[in-house]
Amino acid sequence: MNFGPIIFLGVLLTFACSWGGFILAPQLQLGRQGLVKTVADDTLYPAPRSGLAQQGAAVYRSLGCASCHSQQVRDQDVPRWGARYTVAQDYLRDQPVQWGSQRVGPDLANVGARLPDANWHLIHLYNPRTTVKGSPMPRYGFLFEKRPVRGAKSPEALQFPEGFGPEPGHEIVPAEEARALVAYLLSLKYDTALFEAPMPQQEKPAEADPGEPQEKAPAAETQPSVK
Amino acid sequence: MTHPSTASVSSQQAACGHPEPATVEEINASCRGPVLLPVTLSVLWLVAGSVLWVIASIKLHGPGFLSDFTWRTYGPVKPAAFTLFLYGFASQALLGLALWMLCRLGKTTLVGGFLALVGIVFWNMGVALATLGILGGAATGFEWFELPTYAAPVLFVSYLPIGLCALLTFAARRDRELYVSQWYLLAALVIFPWIFATANTLIAQMPARGAMQAVVGYWYGNNFLTLWLTPAALAVVFYLIPKLAGQPLHSRYLAAFGFWMLMIVGGWAGIPLGARLPAWMPAMSTVASVLMILPIIAVALNLKKTISGQCSVVKSTLALKLSVYSVLAYLVYGVLAALNAHPAVGTITEFTHATSGVTQLALFGFVALAIFAGIYHAGASLLSAEWCGKLAKTHWLLSALGLILSVAALVIGGVLQGRAFDNPDAAFIQSVKKTIPFVGLSTLGMTLWLLGSLALLGNVAYLFKQACANCCKSKEVRS
């Protein structure tokens, strides 16, 4: 191996295989994904996020939430985290995709369906120990404003459980970033049945007679399976 | 069976029209600045990154610690620490050491040293810009490529003159016989701009659609470690171990096998088992991760055979000792990474601290120890001065202890965490609470690592002081 050009060309060739296999081929497969119709009502999936939720996605990225929270429900995670496992199709509109690699905190792929209460999320962000005892999540107090109540209490003020709120005469109001972040969290719902990712109960209907053949899942309305 | 220290450049080369090999003094004079500048700055970034890493680690069990502002929460601090380690320390130090090795192995003076200096200055500006950007909330959210959209091109453009200088030096080599380290360096120097340009395009500048971004992120992260940091670090250990042990490399054929296996297989690992992608991708990566054990064993076996019977030399030579520990860490990492890729283990350890522990072993164990070995050897050679033995011993003992403590705590804690995930009847917080003592131990380990890095920084200052003193003495003697 005394020929620099041979090593150079060999490296180029072997690495081109990796690039072709894991960049070009997935781009041809995943990059061409389009919207698909859902199993239940033939609506196009995934639906676009609201403007506020899209801003919230940027807040989620800038705060580095993905350092602790994943957004991927695997088959074995379904009992704890999701209505169903997630597939590449679910993330078509995510920009950027925030899959994460750690579960220091819970998976958030389906958090909008699991915890649909906006106030819960707001007080959780303000002080995570309010809702989850012993949580190591940092407080995001800088996303909120603490102010004296003048006249009537603001309709946006956080509703704390007893013993946790600010001192009497004060209220905590979410700033724009906090409202956007919660709108994004509530938009994280992967509970729509797809051909490639059916809901678990649809796989085995509870009422079905074991002796009867099960109804076939609708076919040909989505693109080929990617899971 | 060739080694730079033993391979003589025959007079036939001169007869063939090749210039005479440069002397060590000529080589040192040509590359002193372009090697010492990045190496010194890399140690500074190592200390800064270690400080942030300790802060991030404390936050995992003490969430109230320094958390009243956006830039001080765990979310931005951890990516900033990781970025500093990857780009400020490891990449920069390896670029500097690569220039030095290419000169020494090619027996040539550095070609285009000014280009490299300019590139290094801009590289550091890019690292500073990226770190401030990440702390300010501009990270991309992709673990190995957190570089803000505006900072990534700065790093890419800065790399070009450094890479060009390295390739010109390689082409101008006066010893035409290629040594194993040169294969690895050539591969690393060619692959780095390729992966960086791909990630910069498809993650930062013109993001791909949906899940494709995640594929690019996984591919980049894997190749950054496996085909950029790994070959560059292997070049260092392949250079130092035979040279310092005074033995020829055991087998060039085994080295060639290890090299080509790494090139063929290395680029296919990296997609986690549970990634929400078409099943063929994680399947390919699992196969590649298991096969990766072959080149790792080939490297470890080759270097073990090279130093066999040289125990006393290994114990007494710091750079050699660090190189050997680096290869040992590489071997353990290879085994853990292969286990992690197996579904029986991977489904438990995915998303846990265990994966962080294994990555930490690769970065802080294998890569960093190889860099330290290179710094100790190259620094003393370039400045013709001696390191402070006590500081060096403090550095490597603290680093080794901190590394072992942190990696062991994260791996064991991560396995317990993963097992707790799989019990849906228990509250999630139980899995978090199980990890707290282990994360605490990891913090302790990283604090030791930080203290070790400070000792290294002190030793770099000591080395420069010694070099200045030597220089003054020689001037006095002359006058």
Side-chain angles (χ1 to χ4, degrees):
Chain A
M1 298 237 300
N2 278 334
F3 300 101
I6 290 182
I7 295 177
F8 183 78
L9 288 175
V11 168
L12 279 188
L13 187 69
T14 50
F15 194 66
C17 291
S18 163
W19 189 86
F22 272 172
I23 297 293
L24 189 60
Q27 174 63 21
L28 293 176
Q29 186 177 11
L30 296 174
R32 292 179 176 178
Q33 273 189 320
L35 301 175
V36 295
K37 288 179 180 171
T38 59
V39 171
D41 53 8
D42 275 5
T43 54
L44 287 175
Y45 182 85
R49 289 199 163 90
S50 70
L52 191 62
Q54 281 182 35
Q55 288 175 32
V59 177
Y60 187 93
R61 178 193 54 72
S62 75
L63 291 176
C65 303
S67 296
C68 291
H69 296 278
S70 60
Q71 285 189 23
Q72 307 180 59
V73 180
R74 302 169 297 173
D75 304 20
Q76 71 264 37
D77 298 330
V78 173
R80 187 189 282 280
W81 303 119
R84 61 164 171 79
Y85 58 76
T86 55
V87 290
Q89 180 71 39
D90 293 319
Y91 307 93
L92 196 62
R93 290 191 190 266
D94 286 12
Q95 177 49 45
V97 166
Q98 298 282 276
W99 281 8
S101 66
Q102 290 290 311
R103 283 187 183 156
V104 179
D107 186 278
L108 298 180
N110 202 35
V111 71
R114 279 191 286 122
L115 294 162
D117 179 4
N119 185 63
W120 187 94
H121 287 285
L122 288 168
I123 57 174
H124 185 66
L125 286 169
Y126 182 72
N127 182 1
R129 264 69 65 194
T130 310
T131 46
V132 183
K133 196 180 168 191
S135 167
M137 182 168 141
R139 289 183 72 237
Y140 288 91
F142 51 83
L143 297 179
F144 297 83
E145 186 194 349
K146 181 180 170 185
R147 64 187 186 195
V149 180
R150 293 196 185 90
K153 205 173 177 184
S154 164
E156 287 190 335
L158 272 55
Q159 315 276 324
F160 285 95
E162 207 168 310
F164 282 101
E167 58 265 40
H170 288 75
E171 62 184 3
I172 307 294
V173 183
E176 185 70 15
E177 288 98 331
R179 291 196 302 115
L181 182 56
V182 169
Y184 171 67
L185 291 173
L186 294 179
S187 78
L188 291 171
K189 285 183 202 171
Y190 301 121
D191 56 355
T192 306
L194 299 177
F195 174 66
E196 57 182 313
M199 305 299 274
Q201 64 268 28
Q202 288 181 326
E203 286 174 323
K204 289 180 184 174
E207 299 82 6
D209 183 338
E212 286 179 7
Q214 290 187 5
E215 195 181 337
K216 281 186 181 174
E221 62 188 13
T222 63
Q223 61 180 59
S225 170
V226 290
K227 170 69 188 107
Chain B
M1 300 261 281
T2 321
H3 183 264
S5 63
T6 55
S8 61
V9 181
S10 63
S11 55
Q12 294 167 354
Q13 284 197 338
C16 294
H18 293 300
E20 283 294 315
T23 62
V24 174
E25 287 73 27
E26 286 172 337
I27 292 172
N28 282 352
S30 73
C31 65
R32 197 167 280 131
V35 174
L36 288 176
L37 180 67
V39 163
T40 309
L41 290 171
S42 75
V43 176
L44 281 171
W45 287 127
L46 171 69
V47 172
S50 300
V51 170
L52 289 181
W53 202 293
V54 170
I55 292 174
S57 193
I58 293 174
K59 283 169 177 295
L60 280 178
H61 48 91
F65 180 68
L66 299 177
S67 65
D68 290 337
F69 299 98
T70 319
W71 57 275
R72 295 198 315 211
T73 52
Y74 180 83
V77 171
K78 182 67 193 291
F82 202 59
T83 300
L84 275 182
F85 189 88
L86 294 182
Y87 298 92
F89 168 64
S91 296
Q92 178 164 224
L94 287 170
L95 280 171
L97 292 172
L99 296 179
W100 177 69
M101 283 187 287
L102 287 171
C103 289
R104 291 298 294 263
L105 290 168
K107 294 189 167 57
T108 177
T109 51
L110 190 69
V111 180
F114 180 72
L115 278 178
L117 277 174
V118 171
I120 287 156
V121 170
F122 278 94
W123 179 276
N124 283 281
M125 287 162 67
V127 170
L129 189 66
T131 309
L132 292 175
I134 292 168
L135 290 174
T140 57
F142 293 89
E143 209 172 349
W144 293 71
F145 196 88
E146 295 281 12
L147 306 167
T149 315
Y150 47 79
V154 177
L155 287 178
F156 182 71
V157 172
S158 308
Y159 171 81
L160 296 178
I162 307 173
L164 184 65
C165 168
L167 292 178
L168 287 175
T169 305
F170 176 80
R173 67 192 183 280
R174 298 177 194 179
D175 183 350
R176 301 308 293 177
E177 188 165 6
L178 286 180
Y179 179 62
V180 181
S181 296
Q182 286 161 301
W183 313 341
Y184 280 114
L185 286 177
L186 188 59
L189 291 165
V190 169
I191 289 173
F192 178 72
W194 193 338
I195 59 169
F196 197 92
T198 304
N200 183 31
T201 307
L202 294 177
I203 289 179
Q205 311 303 334
M206 291 182 284
R209 281 186 89 193
M212 187 57 208
Q213 288 172 44
V215 179
V216 179
Y218 290 137
W219 179 83
Y220 176 80
N222 170 66
N223 288 325
F224 191 91
L225 175 60
T226 311
L227 294 177
W228 159 238
L229 296 182
T230 294
L234 284 179
V236 176
V237 293
F238 266 103
Y239 179 80
L240 289 180
I241 288 182
K243 186 183 182 75
L244 296 176
Q247 298 285 325
L249 184 65
H250 169 67
S251 166
R252 203 173 159 89
Y253 294 109
L254 195 54
F257 169 78
F259 174 77
W260 287 115
M261 274 301 283
L262 178 71
M263 289 301 125
I264 293 167
V265 175
W268 293 88
I271 309 252
L273 275 173
R276 311 321 296 154
L277 294 168
W280 67 268
M281 293 186 207
M284 291 284 284
S285 277
T286 299
V287 174
S289 297
V290 174
L291 284 177
M292 269 296 290
I293 202 73
L294 293 176
I296 293 176
I297 288 174
V299 165
L301 193 65
N302 208 354
L303 293 172
K304 185 191 171 291
K305 293 263 184 188
T306 303
I307 54 160
S308 67
Q310 301 290 318
C311 278
S312 57
V313 185
V314 173
K315 280 182 187 165
S316 61
T317 315
L318 178 62
L320 181 56
K321 188 158 48 183
L322 288 173
S323 303
V324 171
Y325 286 144
S326 163
V327 176
L328 190 65
Y330 185 42
L331 185 64
V332 177
Y333 160 72
V335 173
L336 290 179
L339 280 175
N340 235 358
H342 192 279
V345 180
T347 46
I348 296 172
T349 55
E350 196 176 5
F351 302 120
T352 69
H353 292 301
T355 52
S356 310
V358 174
T359 306
Q360 211 175 67
L361 179 62
L363 290 176
F364 289 64
F366 163 52
V367 175
L369 291 183
I371 291 171
F372 294 153
I375 290 177
Y376 280 122
H377 186 74
S381 168
L382 283 167
L383 288 172
S384 305
E386 292 289 320
W387 294 90
C388 170
K390 276 185 186 169
L391 277 175
K393 193 174 180 185
T394 309
H395 165 227
W396 90 260
L397 278 177
L398 285 174
S399 301
L401 196 64
L403 173 75
I404 293 169
L405 190 61
S406 179
V407 170
L410 289 176
V411 169
I412 297 168
V415 171
L416 295 177
Q417 183 190 11
R419 289 174 70 92
F421 286 163
D422 284 342
N423 178 10
D425 298 329
F428 174 77
I429 193 71
Q430 298 305 324
S431 75
V432 179
K433 285 182 175 167
K434 274 195 174 156
T435 65
I436 298 288
F438 295 96
V439 175
L441 281 176
S442 172
T443 302
L444 180 62
M446 290 315 296
T447 309
L448 294 178
W449 174 274
L450 168 64
L451 294 174
S453 305
L454 284 169
L456 176 63
L457 183 63
N459 216 348
V460 170
Y462 177 88
L463 187 77
F464 277 108
K465 202 176 151 193
Q466 285 291 105
C468 286
N470 291 346
C471 183
C472 293
K473 266 186 208 165
S474 61
K475 274 182 188 168
E476 278 173 20
V477 170
R478 263 184 260 145
S479 62

